[in-house]
Amino acid sequence: MLKFTRNKLASVYRKDGKTLSVHGVLEDDIYGLEVDLDLDFSRMEILAIRGKWNRMENSQCPRAIPFLQEAVGFRLEEDFVRKVQKIVGRKACRHFADLILECCEAARDAAAIIQREGDKEKEAGLTVAHLFGKAKDVPKAERPEKDGEPDNRVAGGVVIDLHVHSFPASPCSSISLRELIEEAKEIGLDGICLTDHNHWWEPRKVEDLRQKHGFLILRGNEITTDQGDILVFGLEEDIKGIITLAELRKKALAANGFMIAAHPFRGFLTFGIGYLGLTVEKAMERPLFKLVDAVEVLNGKVAERENSFAAKVAQGLRLPVTGGSDAHGAGEVGLYATRFPGPIQNERDLIEALKKGGYSPVVFRNRCPD
Amino acid sequence: MAEILVFSRNRWTSVEQMDDRTFRATCRVQDTLREAWVEILVKAPDLEIVQVKGEIRRSPEEKERDVTDDLQKLTGSRVGPGIKKIIRGLLGHSAHAEQVATLVDECCNGVILSFTKDVLVHAPKDRAGEREFFAGMVRANPRLYNSCAALSADSPLMEGLELDKDND
């Protein structure tokens, strides 16, 4: 018996010489929605968008409809996918964002067909390379508002947020380095560790930042592997793309580095342990835990019970545990951190301290939605 | 003027529960330019991909291709947050890889939504019950907070919500 089905339909026709009209339908067990888009054919720009729900998850889903207008003016270039996911997906609804992307991909294919068939009305500047080309995501900076947070400094030792993301090194982050550092200082952290996704920080650049801000800034990296995200420290290599965990382990060992399994159960308890039958004992068997040095058990981006589950697994395996905010925006840095018993002044100290043990994850600032 | 379609696409995804622990997700796409399918077998409780196969039957880039060998890189990955990035990273970025990756994405999304559906069937219809239900869902999964218009800070469903603070 089928447990779930989803159907998506996108169809495109030429409304006039300049406009492509796209109709999209998404129909699955949970959602039923439709969009109609008009795109400027020569610039591949969204001119108009209309959307409607046929069936929805809850009574507040219609609140998404006005936010669809945020996509008007978007062009199918560079960071289009990211913009639709981030702006329409978060402000409106990710299923509308999904359908808009499907429709726009269809429009891109339609334009290619028109182009290929030698349409006399094609506009200047629209080349096959443009239509099929892959543009690199170059997102624009956002400057989120700062909010005041209480000083909840944990007494004793040094407290370092081992997991933060800055923009633009992490395109998914919306907080600049300067804002991140100022906020970390303001709330009383002793230091932060930059763990931008698959981004290697130049030592000199980070040293300049340390000097400029008079604050401990350390370098790390969050690497995506086939077994999930890993925080790596001490690895002087710019790893791009996905790497296997085994390969990353080899590199980290060769570099005398340190590896932490980041948010190992993110999303895995969303539907309740009962639904998946995931037990601590079963989770302890994951190959992942044989190839890391520690487990992040306080992560600011996952549910409390996912953190708690990670803690139980780490305890069962007798692996050291750490905390980090996984900050991607203002007001998030220092949410969780790691308290070390002794002083840490540089990356060598950090790695030695991580290997030595005796540290613990801490809740550093209040976790509130507003 | 006749409004003849220039292009049309159908993308169909289904998830079938084979036994207590096994789910089979299939995604097929058929459009003016291409036709392809991917099938993944996922095992609970880790939602680990244990088997993947697929085929491109028609595309502008190539006529026919069994992509099952390429897809083997995905075996052992777990369906969950971050899987999109893993799929893209493991399969690469060639035209056919992008096409196949999209189908795998849809399969993974289908598996996750099939579990979401299991939860949503319990959502009460009355306003008060609905608010309690979704507030509870967000409290249990804080990353859902502000993840869409319905769960935004000013949504009636989130009225008076306080996310848990105690974690130590």
Side-chain angles (χ1 to χ4, degrees), chain A residues 242, chain B residues 38 52 65 67-75 84-105:
Chain A
I242 308 287
Chain B
V38 158
V52 204
R65 177 175 172 147
V67 291
T68 300
D69 286 348
D70 304 337
L71 287 167
Q72 294 321 301
K73 294 171 191 163
L74 298 172
T75 307
K84 260 181 199 266
K85 197 171 161 188
I86 292 173
I87 293 168
R88 291 286 185 301
L90 292 174
L91 294 180
H93 295 276
S94 67
H96 94 267
E98 287 284 347
Q99 192 179 330
V100 170
T102 302
L103 297 174
V104 180
D105 276 352

Side-chain angles (χ1 to χ4, degrees), chain A residues 194-226:
Chain A
L194 301 175
T195 51
D196 290 299
H197 297 288
N198 294 62
H199 182 91
W200 179 76
W201 281 99
E202 279 182 42
R204 200 181 61 187
K205 191 167 182 181
V206 175
E207 181 54 40
D208 288 348
L209 283 170
R210 259 181 235 153
Q211 299 292 335
K212 185 179 166 189
H213 293 274
F215 187 66
L216 180 64
I217 304 161
L218 302 163
R219 298 176 309 136
N221 205 326
E222 186 172 15
I223 306 278
T224 304
T225 75
D226 58 340

Side-chain angles (χ1 to χ4, degrees), chain B residues 10-67:
Chain B
N10 277 284
R11 199 186 291 279
W12 179 65
T13 310
S14 67
V15 180
E16 186 182 355
Q17 182 153 9
M18 312 294 289
D19 57 45
D20 284 354
R21 291 185 57 224
T22 316
F23 304 89
R24 180 169 64 196
T26 311
C27 183
R28 291 174 189 276
V29 63
Q30 187 162 40
D31 68 30
T32 311
L33 296 172
R34 52 183 73 84
E35 188 177 344
W37 63 271
V38 158
E39 182 183 295
I40 65 171
L41 220 57
V42 171
K43 285 268 186 200
D46 281 342
L47 295 186
E48 182 184 342
I49 298 174
V50 293
Q51 198 183 91
V52 204
K53 51 187 175 180
E55 183 190 11
I56 295 175
R57 296 187 62 188
R58 179 166 53 83
S59 88
E61 295 82 22
E62 47 203 312
K63 281 182 183 170
E64 201 166 311
R65 177 175 172 147
D66 186 335
V67 291

Side-chain angles (χ1 to χ4, degrees), chain A residues 43-332:
Chain A
R43 289 179 296 165
M44 291 309 280
E45 178 182 313
I46 297 177
L47 299 172
I49 182 165
R50 296 165 297 282
K52 71 166 186 172
W53 285 106
N54 295 326
R55 284 178 306 108
M56 61 201 99
E57 182 186 295
N58 62 58
S59 64
Q60 298 306 313
C61 289
R63 294 166 63 89
I65 301 296
F67 290 108
L68 299 181
Q69 299 311 314
E70 303 247 348
V72 173
F74 284 5
R75 288 189 185 187
L76 277 65
E77 59 183 16
E78 293 192 345
D79 57 348
F80 176 73
V81 172
R82 194 191 73 88
K83 275 164 70 178
V84 171
Q85 285 170 341
K86 194 165 184 175
I87 297 172
V88 179
R90 289 187 193 171
K91 286 188 179 175
C93 165
R94 71 184 178 98
H95 303 287
F96 267 110
D98 182 0
L99 186 56
I100 289 169
L101 290 174
E102 189 79 61
C103 286
C104 289
E105 277 299 312
R108 198 194 295 261
D109 282 337
I113 290 171
I114 293 166
Q115 180 92 352
R116 200 164 59 187
E117 289 178 354
D119 194 303
K120 302 293 182 194
E121 294 174 76
K122 71 180 177 185
E123 298 285 334
L126 187 69
T127 65
V128 172
H130 180 204
L131 294 165
F132 284 119
K134 304 258 174 280
K136 199 180 168 188
D137 273 8
V138 187
K140 287 176 187 167
E142 286 179 16
R143 298 183 68 81
E145 287 176 17
K146 287 194 70 165
D147 56 349
E149 289 284 345
D151 185 342
N152 280 353
R153 191 182 168 115
V154 178
V158 292
V159 181
I160 299 173
D161 188 339
L162 288 180
H163 190 168
V164 300
H165 296 274
S166 64
F167 180 89
S170 290
C172 52
S173 174
S174 60
I175 186 165
S176 69
L177 260 179
R178 185 182 57 76
E179 289 170 309
L180 193 65
I181 296 165
E182 283 176 5
E183 197 175 307
K185 283 175 75 175
E186 194 180 305
I187 63 169
L189 277 168
D190 295 305
I192 56 170
C193 196
L194 301 175
T195 51
D196 290 299
H197 297 288
N198 294 62
H199 182 91
W200 179 76
W201 281 99
E202 279 182 42
R204 200 181 61 187
K205 191 167 182 181
V206 175
E207 181 54 40
D208 288 348
L209 283 170
R210 259 181 235 153
Q211 299 292 335
K212 185 179 166 189
H213 293 274
F215 187 66
L216 180 64
I217 304 161
L218 302 163
R219 298 176 309 136
N221 205 326
E222 186 172 15
I223 306 278
T224 304
T225 75
D226 58 340
Q227 294 295 312
D229 291 342
I230 305 292
L231 296 174
V232 188
F233 304 92
L235 187 60
E236 297 292 344
E237 188 177 336
D238 195 10
I239 295 173
K240 297 295 180 200
I242 308 287
I243 183 171
T244 65
L245 182 61
E247 202 179 331
L248 183 64
R249 183 64 178 169
K250 270 187 207 165
K251 287 176 186 288
L253 284 175
N256 198 26
F258 195 86
M259 289 168 61
I260 301 172
H263 43 67
F265 298 100
R266 185 177 64 175
F268 275 84
L269 303 180
T270 301
F271 314 108
I273 298 172
Y275 281 89
L276 291 175
L278 184 63
T279 62
V280 172
E281 292 71 27
K282 192 84 189 156
M284 281 164 57
E285 291 170 11
R286 283 190 183 171
L288 161 72
F289 297 113
K290 293 184 177 70
L291 296 173
V292 293
D293 303 299
V295 181
E296 186 183 54
V297 301
L298 282 186
N299 173 287
K301 291 289 180 188
V302 310
E304 307 293 347
R305 56 191 175 140
E306 289 163 343
N307 276 331
S308 158
F309 194 82
K312 285 176 191 162
V313 170
Q315 190 181 21
L317 291 165
R318 296 175 185 277
L319 280 169
V321 292
T322 66
S325 65
D326 203 353
H328 283 71
E332 294 178 356

